Amino acid sequence: MNQIFNHAPTHELQARDAAHHMHPFTAQGQLAEKGARVITAANGVFVYDSDGEKILDAMAGLWCVNIGYGREELADVAHRQMKQLPYYNTFFQTTHIPAIELSERIANLAPADLNHVFYAGSGSEANDTNIRMVRHYWAVKGKPQKSIIISRKNAYHGSTVGGGSLGGMSAMHEQGGMPIPDIHHINQPNWWSEGGDMTPEDFGRARAAELEEAIKQLGADRVAAFIAEPVQGAGGVIVAPDTYWPEVQRICDHYGILLIADEVICGFGRTGNWFGSETLHIRPHIMTIAKGLSSGYQPIGGSIVCDEVAKVIAGDEFNHGYTYSSHPVAAAVANENLRIMEEENIVGHVRDTVAPYLKQKWEAMTDHPMVGEAKIVGMMGSIALTPNKATRAAFKSDAGTVGYICRERCFANNLIMRHVGDRMIISPPLIISNDEIDLLITRARKSLDEAMEIVKVQGLWEEK
Ligand SMILES: *Cc1c(COP(=O)(O)O)cnc(C)c1O
């Protein structure tokens, strides 16, 4: 790996960063005191920092670098496209070859009649598109009052005002006047934290039934769509019990509610199929995509739309679009990313090789005294930290206190594993090897041991 060391010293970079750079989802003051870790290079599943440390990135950046770091083909395509046509829009009766090729490829990969792509610069923007598109769809069909979108608490659908409103993160809703009107949140299918005395199966059915109750209470003539991640990602890699999705699908079908699958994380191989909807056997009308679409090499997102919705809104002008919708460089890079994924059968590598191996190692971590449940679908996994496995107790300290301690030990041990509250989560690059999975697990276990020690020493091993 050709590490470049001719940069300023780390402490100086950190001071300049703290002086001028505002970080997303960050307590700025705290970070300024501590100093951000400066990432300078990356290759495969590893990132390198300004002190020369080699860190295993078990989060694939932000769930996005599916193909791994350092793929020269993607850089070459971007370079060529910038020289050929760096930018042109597709607003006013024009198009370009990257948009044509990418849309065709996505339509071929997507299941059923999901054949049409509306582009955005990100997943959040794509979900903003979805809000307007489903409401517009019903309006064109003569039902403008069908405007409510049902979502779930602790869902993540982005950070724009629209995306953050669809999402069910209370900490986000508390800031900046969200949610917007006509978004309704039901409870999430998180059995570990909220299942009480129910079996997972009964709990899955009960949480799905909340969708039906909400539709009845709001009136089916008022509800436009239900949106959900096939597997909740940022909420802590929450995998619904098996009974949940079949029931949700039945309810959407029965009441004529559009189903939007937010595939921003699950899409493009993460769950062992091209789309999480295939893994979970759901039939959405619209899929939100971003992240793995370009493996994060360029910012691009979009909505894959079924024939029916596309046909209905085709008659009128849809007064919506972004300057960077179908950006030619982003589209060319995404297309090359997907071409490589197909050619190298990366989805097959996940399904047949690394996902089964990781599942076995991941689930074995429940032998650790602090690990309650271990959940995993394809290459996204979570473990719940607990002081009492039998009762599924939460720690007495504020949620996230113990998770943060564990995350800090991971970071110190050159493993990037995130925490959501007191759940630890991973989503490594899909090209990871079994040997690299061994390294991931070794570092995770070491970090868990160290974190447990700290938790005990600090008197935090206490049940709520
Ligand atoms: C990351 C994410 C988004 C938002 O995508 P951005 O590109 O960050 O705007 C939306 N939905 C899900 C499920 C995500 O994980």
Side-chain angles (χ1 to χ4, degrees), residues 25 62-64 121-127 155-160 163 227-235 261-266 288-291 299-301 380 418:
F25 284 98
L62 270 179
W63 325 78
C64 55
S122 67
S124 305
E125 288 177 11
N127 276 327
Y156 189 76
H157 297 299
S159 193
T160 51
I227 183 168
E229 303 150 85
V231 176
Q232 279 161 267
D262 188 334
E263 294 264 3
V264 169
I265 289 174
C266 294
T288 319
I289 53 172
K291 294 191 173 123
I300 182 169
M380 56 195 298
R418 247 173 84 186

Side-chain angles (χ1 to χ4, degrees), residues 200-201 204 240-246:
E201 291 71 29
D242 290 343
T243 47
Y244 180 77
W245 274 111

Side-chain angles (χ1 to χ4, degrees), residues 66-67 340-342 344-351 430-431:
N66 288 1
I67 204 173
I340 294 172
M341 286 197 55
E342 286 186 81
E344 298 182 2
N345 189 20
I346 289 173
V347 179
H349 170 73
V350 169
R351 188 176 44 230
L430 306 184
I431 50 82

